[in-house]
């Protein structure tokens, strides 16, 4: 008990130092820790052990709220943790975590005390902001969109969140213009899921969806398994293509995790989701 108390005292004493040396800590601790988190294959361990790290990130952001590298790291950590919580069957916790994912994501592009205003910004103003960004901004742009999309995904189809999808669409379209290969072609994944999750009568674009998914798979050489799961979950289901659905998910389950250790966590989450979806095949078709 005394040793634990002393450890807490040491950590509290270090916080002023961490706040004053934010950039050094980001490089030497935060980014390597997030990278190591992505190498984990024990999803339950990640769900149980990540909160303390996220608390430290929160403290770092509070001390350096305009540090773009730190905000990217924070957005990556919170979006990744939300996905892990979904796989751990903790949707309520994932929804709470997704709030921070959106907050840090939007802060990458808009330095405003009222980030909620961005959610109602006229599309013409948003598009002008996006036009002003260049290839050097693509990481900021993608993670802003990804953090925003993470929050939307956990809002259970609320009208407020669905109204914001078109803004994320504009962000991801700009990412494609600047660098479609960013993060394994993930902008293609968003657009594939967005266009493929609705029937044509409600604005769905099945052929565009398929093209985006196929392009994402080509960019990642079919190594980024969330692409395969999303392809099955959205396009294949909406197209009532049982064979494609089963083939994509079986490909996920057969994939050797050790071949892509740097994205082992994302791929392991995809495997767990693929197994769950395969069990539900007869319910979908």
């Amino acid at each position: 008990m005394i040793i634990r108390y002393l450890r807490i005292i040491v950590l509290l004493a270090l916080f002023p130092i961490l706040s004053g040396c934010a950039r050094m800590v980001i490089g030497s601790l935060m980014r390597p820790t997030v990278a190591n988190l992505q190498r984990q294959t024990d999803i339950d361990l990640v769900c149980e052990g990540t909160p303390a790290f996220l608390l430290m990130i929160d403290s770092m952001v509070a001390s350096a709220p305009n540090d773009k590298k730190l905000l990217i790291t924070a957005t990556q950590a919170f979006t990744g943790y939300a996905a892990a919580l979904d796989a751990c069957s903790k949707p309520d916790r994932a929804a709470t975590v997704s709030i921070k994912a959106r907050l840090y994501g939007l802060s990458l592009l808009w330095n405003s005390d009222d980030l909620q205003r961005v959610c109602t910004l006229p599309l013409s103003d948003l598009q002008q902001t996006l036009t002003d960004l260049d290839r050097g901004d693509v990481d900021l742009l993608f993670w802003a969109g990804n953090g925003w999309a993470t929050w939307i995904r956990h809002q259970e189809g609320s009208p407020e969140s669905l109204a914001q999808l078109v803004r994320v669409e504009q962000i991801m379209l700009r990412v494609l213009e600047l660098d479609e290969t960013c993060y394994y072609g993930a902008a293609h994944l968003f657009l594939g899921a967005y266009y493929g999750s609705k029937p044509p009568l409600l604005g769905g674009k099945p052929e565009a969806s398929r093209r985006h998914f196929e392009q994402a798979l080509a960019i990642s050489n079919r190594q980024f398994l969330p692409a395969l799961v999303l392809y099955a979950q959205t396009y294949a289901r909406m197209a009532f293509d049982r064979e494609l659905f089963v083939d994509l998910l079986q490909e996920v389950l057969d994939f050797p995790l050790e071949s892509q250790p740097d994205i082992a966590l994302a791929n392991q989450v995809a495997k767990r989701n693929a197994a769950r979806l395969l069990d539900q095949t007869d319910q979908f078709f």
Side-chain angles (χ1 to χ4, degrees):
M1 187 68 177
I2 294 176
I3 293 175
R4 182 181 178 186
Y5 175 76
L6 289 174
R7 285 175 178 168
I8 294 173
I9 294 297
V10 169
L11 285 173
L12 291 174
L14 280 174
F15 267 112
I17 299 174
L18 295 179
S19 299
C21 306
R23 291 185 179 277
M24 180 180 70
V25 174
I26 293 165
S28 63
L29 175 62
M30 292 299 176
R31 282 197 296 273
T33 302
V34 171
N36 181 63
L37 194 64
Q38 288 298 324
R39 289 174 166 265
Q40 300 301 313
T41 57
D42 187 336
I43 301 174
D44 295 316
L45 177 62
V46 170
C47 287
E48 295 167 4
T50 302
F53 172 61
L54 297 184
L55 286 173
M56 183 176 290
I57 287 182
D58 275 338
S59 298
M60 295 291 296
V61 173
S63 69
N66 298 318
D67 190 302
K68 301 300 185 184
K69 291 183 178 179
L70 177 56
L71 286 170
I72 286 178
T73 300
T75 307
Q76 291 172 334
F78 278 90
T79 55
Y81 188 48
L85 286 169
D86 281 334
C88 289
S89 300
K90 297 182 178 180
D92 292 339
R93 287 291 305 132
T96 300
V97 168
S98 74
I99 296 172
K100 283 289 180 69
R102 183 180 73 155
L103 171 64
Y104 293 145
L106 292 181
S107 297
L108 285 166
L109 295 180
W110 290 277
N111 294 319
S112 169
D113 292 333
D114 184 16
L115 288 174
Q116 184 63 31
R117 184 178 60 83
V118 176
C119 303
T120 57
L121 193 69
L123 280 179
S124 58
D125 292 346
L126 175 64
Q127 289 167 341
Q128 182 57 55
T129 298
L130 299 179
T131 299
D132 293 339
L133 300 174
D134 57 29
R135 190 180 177 92
D137 300 309
V138 73
D139 282 346
L140 306 181
L141 191 57
F142 170 73
W143 287 107
N146 197 50
W148 203 344
T150 296
W151 176 81
I152 292 172
R153 188 166 63 251
H154 290 90
Q155 296 309 300
E156 299 183 347
S158 72
E160 177 194 0
S161 63
L162 293 179
Q164 296 175 27
L165 271 172
V166 67
R167 302 173 194 281
V168 182
E169 177 192 18
Q170 294 302 309
I171 289 175
M172 294 305 184
L173 286 170
R174 183 59 175 154
V175 170
L176 293 189
E177 291 175 351
L178 296 173
D179 180 7
E180 69 169 348
T181 68
C182 178
Y183 199 69
Y184 308 97
H188 281 294
L189 296 188
F190 171 83
L191 293 168
Y194 181 49
Y195 297 146
S197 60
K198 299 179 291 184
L201 289 177
L202 295 179
K205 302 177 183 178
E207 289 309 312
S209 171
R210 183 161 194 149
R211 287 196 302 271
H212 280 297
F213 278 122
E214 290 293 340
Q215 185 63 13
L217 292 177
I219 289 170
S220 69
N221 196 27
R222 307 181 81 90
Q223 307 288 295
F224 188 59
L225 301 186
L228 296 159
V229 174
L230 275 173
Y231 197 177
Q233 191 173 14
T234 56
Y235 173 83
R237 278 184 60 187
M238 190 57 63
F240 295 101
D241 192 332
R242 181 183 180 120
E243 182 178 1
L244 177 63
F245 180 85
V246 172
D247 287 349
L248 288 168
L249 297 178
Q250 192 60 53
E251 182 178 350
V252 172
L253 295 180
D254 293 341
F255 185 85
L257 284 176
E258 63 275 9
S259 67
Q260 286 292 323
D262 290 341
I263 50 174
L265 177 60
N267 283 348
Q268 182 74 308
V269 168
K271 280 179 173 285
R272 183 173 289 191
N273 289 335
R276 174 180 53 81
L277 288 167
L278 267 179
D279 286 342
Q280 298 173 311
T281 301
D282 290 338
Q283 300 175 32
F284 300 145
F285 302 96

